[in-house]
Each structure stands twice: as C-alpha cells, then as structure tokens.
Amino acid sequence: MVTRKLGIWRFGATAGFAFTAGALVALAAHHRRYAELQLRVAMVERTERQAVLTEQQRLQFSLLCKAMDDADLAAVYSTVVVDSPTQRRQYLFAHGMYTNALLAYRTGVVNWEELHGHLRVICMNAIFREYWRTHTDHRASLRGDSEEARVGRMVDGIIQDLDEADTDEWWVVGEPPAEEEQR
C-alpha cells in the first residue's frame, strides 16, 4: 500500500510541477505581449504628440507670416519695444527660426546635440542675440523644468560660450550640456 501511495504522490507532484511550469510559461508570454502593447501605445502617443506639435507650428507660422506682412498685426504679435518696423520683422523672423529649431527637437527630427549645433549657428547672428536678450522677461515665465526652458538655458549657454571664446572658429565653441542635466 505504501508503494501505491508513493507512486500516486510522485504522479501528483510531477503533474503539479508541470502545471506550474506551464502556467509560468504562459505568464511570461502574456507579460511579453503586454510589454509589446505598451511600446506600441507609447509610439502612437508620441506620433500623435508630434502631429499636434506640427499642426500648432503651422498655425504659428501662418500667424507669423501675417504679422511680418502687416505692421499693425506685428504690433499685436510681438509686444517688445522696437526701434522700427524692420527691427520688429527681424525679431519675428528670429522667433520663427528659434521655434522651428525647438519644434525639430520636440518632434525628434534632431536630437539634443544636433539642436545645440543648429542653435549655435543661429546664435552667431547679432540680430538673433538682440532678439534673445530683449525677450529675457518672456522666458522668465516658463516653468523651469519645461523643454522650452531647458532649450532656453542651452541658448543662454551658447551665447555666453561664444562671447567668451578666444577663437573665430565658432563652430567648435561650447559643448551641449548633457540632456539629463537639463531635466
């Protein structure tokens, strides 16, 4: 009788182990599928955000074009004090260049280091630097941990590096701050 009970116990234990192993394999497969679905959802959300940002940029560009063509509208679009309608249009154009670079980063067209390179080129222009200095108060209202605030600090750093550089080779001046340091 003992032999019979021992055989049943071995069979039951083996069956229990097999069931547990099967359940763990099924759970692992389910977990892998869930992770894949999470990744797909994240990709769809990122694509949707990029589409919304792009559409917003189109609207912004349309308003900017109208403001550049009409001095009365330009006075509404930009509230900084300027010396002439020409200077206002230049500031509007500088703003368009900056927001275009910012959008390229936000939508993943350029990475952090590439953004730094694009902004370094833009910051070489004296009119852009004047625009940037004039709009310091506008940037002060940004939330400190926002993407735009981080990019703004990058521009501030680029301008400072260019001002302090001992070389005419502007394209080698300054390194982009680590993206993590900016968050």
Side-chain angles (χ1 to χ4, degrees), residues 13-171:
T14 303
F17 288 137
F19 176 77
T20 303
L24 288 174
V25 168
L27 183 62
H30 178 72
H31 180 69
R32 189 171 34 257
R33 179 73 176 137
Y34 181 71
E36 290 171 0
L37 289 174
Q38 282 182 313
L39 184 61
R40 282 186 185 173
V41 167
M43 288 173 57
V44 167
E45 287 174 348
R46 186 177 26 229
T47 301
E48 185 177 305
R49 181 175 187 268
Q50 289 174 343
V52 168
L53 285 170
T54 302
E55 185 58 33
Q56 191 277 332
Q57 183 71 15
R58 281 190 191 112
L59 175 60
Q60 188 77 10
F61 181 73
S62 173
L63 293 171
L64 177 65
C65 288
K66 289 178 182 184
M68 290 182 71
D69 290 340
D70 185 327
D72 294 334
L73 297 178
V76 175
Y77 193 94
S78 175
T79 58
V80 297
V81 177
V82 293
D83 297 332
S84 68
T86 299
Q87 186 181 40
R88 185 172 307 280
R89 281 193 309 278
Q90 289 171 334
Y91 281 13
L92 291 173
F93 191 77
H95 177 72
M97 291 174 55
Y98 169 73
T99 57
N100 185 57
L102 179 63
L103 176 69
Y105 173 68
R106 284 179 166 168
T107 58
V109 173
V110 299
N111 64 30
W112 188 249
E113 291 78 22
E114 292 166 330
L115 176 64
H116 183 268
H118 289 296
L119 291 173
R120 184 170 41 198
V121 171
I122 293 170
C123 289
M124 283 300 300
N125 184 282
I127 295 169
F128 179 83
R129 287 182 186 209
E130 189 177 320
Y131 152 80
W132 193 255
R133 182 189 49 75
T134 304
H135 288 81
T136 300
D137 292 339
H138 292 87
R139 290 188 308 281
S141 66
L142 296 173
R143 203 179 76 236
D145 62 342
S146 69
E147 269 183 335
E148 191 168 354
R150 289 192 314 269
V151 173
R153 287 190 297 273
M154 181 194 289
V155 172
D156 292 338
I158 291 169
I159 291 172
Q160 182 178 350
D161 289 346
L162 289 169
D163 287 344
E164 295 172 355
D166 291 336
T167 181
D168 290 334
E169 296 176 346
W170 57 268
W171 55 92

